[in-house]
Every structure is written in structure tokens, then in C-alpha cells.
Amino acid sequence: MSSPDKHILHDYLSRIKRPSPLGSTVFVGLRLAEPLVQHAILSQNLGSSLINHFGGEVLPFGIPVEPCIGLSPYRLILFLMSAGSSLKQIFWLTSVAEQEMPVKSAIPIGAFNFLFNSLNSLFFINKFTSAATNGGQDLDDPDFPSIPLVVGSAAYVTGLMLELVSELQRKRFKKDPKNKGKNYAGGLFSLARHINYTGHVLMRGGYALAAGGWIWSGFTTAFFVRDFVTRAIPCLDKYCQEQYAESWNEYKRTVPYKLIPGVY
């Protein structure tokens, strides 16, 4: 008897198209709560005891934009990055996606976003890992904006728009009854078969760069590229192959790049 396949790909998203009010409510609730946690980290140094425990030192707060906001310009931008990624995912679920969001998927996805975004905030408020410092010097606001913030913000906005626009283009195509059962190969998806994933990588890497600097951004980018290449893309390719058959094969011949146009 042959041994079972040890490498089983796990798709965290269901491909079943039906409403899921409970799971969707859980997902939206978790994604709305997550930016509030980032605000607490950035405005109140929540988690500072953890940083001190590992020998770090908490970064000075800086001068807030407004007393009621409690965030310096740099910290406010990081908070907006957290809020932007949260609102984008909520919009995707409520206005773009057709598949269900079961509770068993909503909770780990919400927890995953909470973990990565919290690490961004914690790396920022730690003086020795923050993208706002140079060798531990206090450069939170005096050197504002830092190069990592400028480059990271550009990558974040570019990635967010790339992911959002590509998904809206595909959604518009699929809403047309004459395209029922057809694979979308136009717009931004003519550049790479999973161009929305490309946008997500840019967004994640940019957010990490603005918060924790080049090394943390490199790790984050590599993590998401590896996850997409080894898990998410094979999962979706398998689904699309079963769903569109020869149409998908033709799309792969026409658009040979999976993630990075002209490269891979």
C-alpha cells in the first residue's frame, strides 16, 4: 500500500459560495478590534514590560498630532496602516468575496493579522529595533520622516491599491452574466495570475519596513512570498484547474508569471 502524501496543502479560505453570517460577523469584529490594540501599543506603550524583559528600551512618545489622538505623526501613520489593512479586508469580505467565511477560518485569520501587526507596533516602540531610530538614538520625531517610513509608506499604498483594484476588476468581470463560468484574465491579472497576492506582499513588507526597519521588512516579505509560493498559489491553482479546466491552461500559457510580472 502506498503511503499517504505527507505534503498536504491547507487552504485557509473556503471556496464554497454561500452566506456565512456568523463567521463573517466574527471576522469583522476581530478585524475592527485589532487596530484598537495597535493604538494602545502606540499611544500607551502596551507591551512595554515585554520589551524591557528582553533587554529592550521603550522609545519616547514624541509630540502628538492632537492631544485627543495621542499619537505622534510617525505613530499615527503606523496606526493608519493597521486600520487601512483591516478596512480593506472587511471590504473584501462584505463587498468582493462570494465564498463563505466559517468561524473556523475567521478566528485564525484574525489572530494571524493581530500577531503580525502587533509585532510591527512592538518593534517600532522598541528603541533598538524601531525604524525611527539609528543606533538607539532618539529620532522618533526629530528625524521625521525617516527613509524607512517614506519607502515603507509608498510600498504599503502601492500594494494596497494593487490588491484592491485587481480584485475589483475581477469582481466587475464576474458580475456580468455573460461571463459566468469564465476565468478572468484581463486588467492587472494580465500581468501575473495572482497579482492581488503581489499587492499583499508589498503592503505587508511596506508596513513592516515603516515600523521595524529593513531587516524586519525583509523577514516579513520573505515569509509571505514563501507562503504564497508554497501554499496559497498551489491551493488556488488546483481549485482554478478544476473550475476552469482548459481555460485555466490557456491562461497559464498566456500569462506565465504567478506572482511577480516578468520574473516569477
Side-chain angles (χ1 to χ4, degrees), residues 81 151-163 195-210 217 220-222 224-225 228 259-261:
M81 286 183 177
V151 177
S153 296
Y156 175 90
V157 173
T158 301
L160 184 68
M161 294 306 299
L162 183 61
E163 185 178 22
I195 195 70
N196 53 331
Y197 290 169
T198 312
H200 194 79
V201 170
L202 278 173
M203 181 187 70
R204 287 287 190 177
Y207 186 1
L209 175 58
S217 175
T220 300
T221 301
F224 280 97
V225 168
F228 284 138
L259 187 66
I260 307 173

Side-chain angles (χ1 to χ4, degrees), residues 22 28 33 44 48 61 67 70 85 97 100 109 120 130 135 142 158 193-194 201-202 205-206 209 225 252 256 261:
L22 178 58
V28 171
Q44 303 172 32
S48 59
F61 280 108
S85 62
E100 65 176 353
I109 293 173
N120 284 338
S130 178
T158 301
R193 300 199 301 272
H194 304 280
V201 170
L202 278 173
L209 175 58
V225 168
K252 288 195 292 184

Side-chain angles (χ1 to χ4, degrees), residues 88-150:
K88 189 273 166 189
Q89 288 190 339
I90 292 172
F91 176 77
W92 168 80
L93 178 65
T94 58
S95 303
V96 178
E98 298 178 341
Q99 63 263 41
E100 65 176 353
M101 175 61 72
V103 174
K104 66 179 182 180
S105 296
I107 292 177
I109 293 173
F112 179 82
N113 280 277
F114 168 83
L115 173 63
F116 255 92
N117 291 352
S118 295
L119 285 173
N120 284 338
S121 297
L122 290 171
F123 277 128
F124 176 79
I125 68 170
N126 180 10
K127 181 187 292 186
F128 301 108
T129 56
S130 178
T133 66
N134 181 15
Q137 299 177 39
D138 296 344
L139 298 177
D140 185 2
D141 283 308
D143 201 37
F144 175 83
S146 69
I147 292 177
L149 176 61
V150 174

Side-chain angles (χ1 to χ4, degrees), residues 6-24:
K6 294 181 179 179
H7 186 60
I8 300 176
L9 298 173
H10 181 67
D11 194 348
Y12 293 103
L13 293 176
S14 171
R15 302 297 171 183
I16 301 174
K17 297 180 180 180
R18 64 185 179 192
S20 50
L22 178 58
S24 296

